[in-house]
DNA sequence: AGAACGGCTGAACGTCATTCGTTGTGATCT
DNA sequence: AGATCACAACGAATGACGTTCAGCCGTTCT
């Protein structure tokens, strides 16, 4: 069940690390980087996709260039069980991540907006979600780095 | 003008949204999705890369499949200015993100490990960073969603 | 108005993704 | 042990796609 299907060996990890770095490179290049032919590299990557280890190929974007220069983490307190509130949080487009957490708050969300005014508006909308009783927003002043999950 | 950035227009945003969804699709397909020829779509995407709006093409991976099933956010308290500590945090491979934040703590990090034991070990290593005086770890019980920055 | 600029189209060309038959290897069965 | 099976990698063939470019059109500037 869930996601434990199949094994991911060292070559798979090396392939994933390469793809995380640059998913546009040719399979011949990719194969050379891990000591495989183009065909074999292609085959392994295809299987990694089929098994859901690689979820998708996507692009990393500069948030500032899209007018999402304000980043904040918000601890959401609740007076009820929030386990089924996925859709409510997903409906707020400025929310980039939402997690149920252990501890006093019950949900932690990562929010990106253009301005702090818009951040305030997101907080207002959070309060309209059933069960939400409070929020504590923490604004990010500077991001050191954001990087992919370590593959090796 | 959408969100206040003149160099990224609505077609660019549509292209980015499509690429975030699936960066493997052909430029002909991509162009059709936004009402452009393959050549024109290619040209715009190339320029978005050159300008740094698109930082890179990468793959999204299932953390559990890589043995990084434990996710935690750690508030790091400090007794000194942490503005130049990028490298110290980057040196800890389990740290996926590190941000300087406003408020009582001074750094917020996102950590992925295989086990809670390993999480504890990361906390121990955080204390060895110059200026770090305390940590508050919050373990994620369930992730609702993690998605790309909204492009439109 | 004329010129210059920027962006789009459609086609041509070269590269690469994708498929497939073959081979080698390590495990399982008799 | 020998035979069989399952799996993975190789290397070549082919068809698709990325990439480039000349020509065209709408806009802006003088």
């Amino acid at each position: 069940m869930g996601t434990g299907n199949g094994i991911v060996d060292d070559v798979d990890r090396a392939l994933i690390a390469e793809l995380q770095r640059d998913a546009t490179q040719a399979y011949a290049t990719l194969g050379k980087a891990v000591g495989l032919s183009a065909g074999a590299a292609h085959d392994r990557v295809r299987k990694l996709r089929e098994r859901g280890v690689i979820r998708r190929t996507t692009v990393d974007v500069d948030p500032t260039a899209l007018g999402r220069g304000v980043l904040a983490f918000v601890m959401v307190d609740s007076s009820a069980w929030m386990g089924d509130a996925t859709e409510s949080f997903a409906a707020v487009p400025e929310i980039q991540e939402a997690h149920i957490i252990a501890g006093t708050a019950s949900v932690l969300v990562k929010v990106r907006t253009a301005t702090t005014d818009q951040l305030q508006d997101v907080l207002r909308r959070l309060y309209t979600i059933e069960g939400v009783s409070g929020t504590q927003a923490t604004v990010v002043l500077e991001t050191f780095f954001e990087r992919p999950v370590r593959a090796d």
Side-chain angles (χ1 to χ4, degrees), chain A:
Chain A
M1 41 175 274
T3 42
N5 280 349
I7 57 165
V8 179
D9 66 15
D10 291 341
V11 177
D12 288 334
R13 288 174 187 273
L15 283 170
I16 291 169
E18 274 299 314
L19 287 174
Q20 285 176 329
R21 199 175 57 74
D22 178 13
T24 68
Q25 62 190 306
Y27 280 106
T29 313
L30 194 57
K32 199 170 296 177
V34 304
L36 241 49
S37 72
H42 184 271
D43 211 53
R44 291 184 84 120
V45 172
R46 182 182 52 75
K47 284 173 187 165
L48 286 169
R49 284 189 219 273
E50 276 175 8
R51 284 152 54 193
V53 177
I54 294 177
R55 288 176 167 155
R56 65 173 162 182
T57 303
T58 185
V59 289
D60 266 10
V61 175
D62 177 8
T64 307
L66 292 184
R68 297 279 139 83
V70 176
L71 171 61
F73 290 89
V74 183
M75 300 280 206
V76 180
D77 300 309
S78 74
S79 58
W81 171 236
M82 297 260 79
D84 302 314
T86 308
E87 297 307 325
S88 303
F89 287 97
V92 183
E94 290 90 345
I95 298 181
Q96 204 189 333
E97 301 178 20
H99 311 272
I100 295 198
I101 56 178
T104 53
S106 62
V107 177
L108 173 60
V109 303
K110 183 179 180 181
V111 177
R112 284 189 192 273
T113 59
T115 63
T116 49
D117 276 359
Q118 285 183 23
L119 173 58
Q120 193 178 2
D121 191 59
V122 170
L123 296 180
R124 190 181 53 72
R125 274 178 277 160
L126 284 175
Y127 275 102
T128 69
I129 295 175
E130 188 85 19
V132 169
S133 61
T135 61
Q136 302 163 245
T138 303
V139 176
V140 169
L141 302 178
E142 182 194 344
T143 292
F144 278 156
F145 59 83
E146 291 179 285
R147 59 191 182 192
V149 182
R150 192 136 202 272
D152 55 355

